[in-house]
Every structure is written in structure tokens, then in C-alpha cells.
Amino acid sequence: MPSKINFMSPLEAVSILKSGDHVHLSSVASTPTILVNAMCEYAKANGLRDIHVHHLHTEPPAPYADPEYEGIFQHDAFFVGKNVRKQVQAGYADYIPIFLSETQNLYRSGVLPINVAMVQVSPPDNSGYVSLGTSVDATLAAIERADTVIAVVNRDVPWALGDALIPLSAIDRFVEHDEPLEEAIPAQPNEQELAIGRHCAELIEDGACLQMGIGAIPNAVLSQLGNHKNLGIHTEMFADGVLPLVEKGVINGSMKATDRGKIVSTFLMGSQKVYSFIDHNPNVLMMDVGYTNDPFVIARNPRMTAINSAIEVDITGQVCADSIGTTFFSGVGGQVDFIYGASRSEGGKPIIAMPAITSKGVSKLVNTLKVGAGVVTTRSHIHWLVTEFGAVNLYGKTLQERARLIISIAHPSAQEELDKAAFARYGSHYHFVK
């Protein structure tokens, strides 16, 4: 480690905090836990109040959102992970609804002030640069605009390229602490998810550029692409499922119009294999979220295929992906960015993929969304809808045509009730599916 870096303790590093400050935390696998804990300790011990904490999804515990810190911290995240979901639902924490592509603009435009950015970085190279590793997203914008940048220098942060590289001069305070990044064990798809994956894989053409997130359904899709050719990746995130396809040469980016030959992402969440894969890898670019999630950048890639999930979809095609009634789940995220971007792409396919029924036997295809449900993708944006029972294209279809198509891929136990609801809604001109 270069001797010119003046390391300090975590408590000393956060001692610049004051009441009313706005703090940004780097996200997902790279949340600086040691600074989070020091921030909570320092703020409580020194009687600080009304510190606003902003971030995208974070994996580790989030003590600042607990009732114990009410009045000290105000959690105003851009995305709600499982570590703060109960607190948001209980009112101890809050959420700013926003497209993922615009999170960086909250800082750059000055809509949100940013006093302190807390991040993790790799050790510096001989040129005096460090890498943000797995978390560029809105973190780069926070670093650009923050009054003070505090960085944990961690040997376990991979050396990612692209917008991840920043000069040491962009950082004001340094803490040295080596700790493995948070990992996510790859989810194993069940038969229901494998069926969804098969239907999605059938829609993916050779030469397509893919966006999909993390979880069992993306893994199910990726596991069935082994015979495809010349696929590319332009996404907000990727995980372990892409690695076998890269090794096999299926994913090579040769048909992309932007960043040809490169995998483009803005944050990561996976196993250590993923973090090792991006380390000093010239074929992976970790980019600012204003680039990865810009619908017009996305649309430049031909055959852009975006696969996103949902909680509920009604028979008009409204997609709920953030909340059911008063139960809050996540947030808008990047779904609309990629659904719209893929719809503008030449030969693009925006896809909503979801199980037709929950593990408790409740249909996820419904007549009307529950009261309070958040519409993330509108009925005007939706194209392809996929369940384990098939794939239907709703683009250009009337409301009655949509109802018939959506009901056709509902669970058989729900079809009759949905048919009756559609008949009650549209009258005698509507004809039952059966």
C-alpha cells in the first residue's frame, strides 16, 4: 500500500458527520459495513440528528434503519432490500421512487444534496487509481458531488474496469480493512421456474443482447442457452449464471452495437467466482448507471432482450413489481429502463416473466391489482408476458384480446374465475377462453 495514504480508524473517518447530513453508501456486495457501524456509533454517541442515508440495494444489516436510531437517521433509499423491508413497511424507514437510470441524476442535478459518500475500493495501482469494483451505479455520481468521500481500501475488492476507476485524489479519508465481499449463493430453479426459463429461452434469438437480474428464473433461462450463438450482455447486474456461457463462447458480445465484445454492468451480486471473473478482465466494463440503464443506449443494441419479474399482473397488462397493498417489497429499480429500451431496439423483446401461481396456490394473474399495489410497468409498456404455461405477446392488442391471452397462461385453477371477471368487465362482446 503506498505510504502516501494516511489511514485512520473508522470512527475518526466518520467524525466529520454532522446533523442534517446526507450520506450515500455504495451498494449490494460492496456496502462498507465497517463505516456503517462506525457511523451509527458516532452519531448516537454525539447526539447527531436527522442524517439522511441513501443507497440502492444493500446486502448487510442496516442498523441505521432500526427503531433504535429513529430521529438520528432517516433512511431514504432508492431501492428496498430485504434488510430494510420490514422497517419501511413499519414507517421507521422510507423510500424514494425513481427509475434506476435516474438515481445518479439526483446527485448530479443537485435535487439531493450529498455531504458524505462512503465506499469500498481496491488498493491503488502504480498510477494512483483505485477501482470501485462491484458497485459503480449511483456511487460514482455521489463521489463526484460529495463534500467528503470516505473509502475503505479492501484487498478483496476486485479491480474492475470502465467507470469503476477513480483517482486517489477523489477520496478525502481512507480506512484500511480487508474483508470478503457479500456473496449470494446461486438460486437453484424448481420445475415451475425451469418451465418459465424454457419459454423465455425460446424467445431469445442468436445474436441477442441480454438483460436479466439475479435469482432462480434468470438462472433457469441462462441454463438453457447453451446452444445459442453470439449473445451479448448489457445489464444493470449479472451473477454466476453467465459464467458457463462465457466459458463456452455463447456469450461473446460480437453482435452488440455498443461496447462490442464487452459485458456491461453497473453492479454485481454473486459468488466469489463472479468477483474473480471481473478482476482485471478487459472484457467486462462496470459503468455508471446513467449509461447502463439509459433506455436510448440500451435500444442501440439490436435484438435487445430484457427479462424482468413481477409480483402481480392484471388482465389489462398492468405490472406490479414493488408492492402488494400495504406490503412493500423493493421499488421501481431498472425494470422500466430496460423494458422501454428493449421495446425501442431493432428486433428487441421486452419480457415480464413470473410464476402464474404462488407457493400458497394464489394466482399472480389477477382481474385487478390489489389496492395500494404499485404499477411499475404500465399496460402501455408491456410486450411479452411469460409464465410456466406459455408466452404471449400483448403488444398492439386490445384490452379484451389481452385478457384472453393473459388468462390463457394463467394457472388452470384460476382461469374460470378470471374469465368471469373479464366477462363482467367487458360484457357480452367478451368471449370466454374455454
Side-chain angles (χ1 to χ4, degrees), residues 9-10 13-14 32-40 117-119 150-152 175:
S9 71
V14 303
T33 303
I34 193 169
L35 293 180
V36 169
N37 294 336
M39 174 180 72
C40 292
M118 298 184 183
V119 305
I150 306 173
V152 177
V175 173

Side-chain angles (χ1 to χ4, degrees), residues 86-167:
K86 289 182 179 178
Q87 294 91 323
V88 170
Q89 290 170 188
Y92 290 108
D94 211 340
Y95 157 68
I96 298 174
I98 190 164
F99 299 132
L100 192 60
S101 60
E102 296 181 5
T103 54
Q104 47 79 30
N105 195 49
L106 289 177
Y107 294 135
R108 289 183 171 129
S109 68
V111 169
L112 274 185
I114 174 69
N115 303 104
V116 181
M118 298 184 183
V119 305
Q120 284 203 88
V121 299
S122 70
D125 65 4
N126 293 331
S127 299
Y129 277 78
V130 294
S131 177
L132 292 170
T134 62
S135 178
V136 178
D137 45 74
T139 296
L140 183 60
I143 289 170
E144 293 170 0
R145 296 293 183 176
D147 300 327
T148 303
V149 178
I150 306 173
V152 177
V153 179
N154 181 356
R155 286 184 173 84
D156 287 283
V157 173
W159 185 269
L161 302 175
D163 289 338
L165 298 180
I166 62 171

Side-chain angles (χ1 to χ4, degrees), residues 413-434:
S413 65
Q415 287 185 345
E416 183 176 354
E417 182 180 345
L418 289 172
D419 252 339
K420 290 178 179 178
F423 184 82
R425 179 187 289 225
Y426 299 119
S428 60
H429 293 292
Y430 175 83
H431 302 288
F432 288 173
V433 169
K434 293 182 179 180

Side-chain angles (χ1 to χ4, degrees), residues 55-75:
H55 53 73
L56 298 173
H57 170 71
T58 57
E59 271 299 300
Y64 47 82
D66 291 342
E68 173 187 355
Y69 290 97
E70 187 176 15
I72 299 176
F73 296 106
Q74 173 61 41
H75 171 277

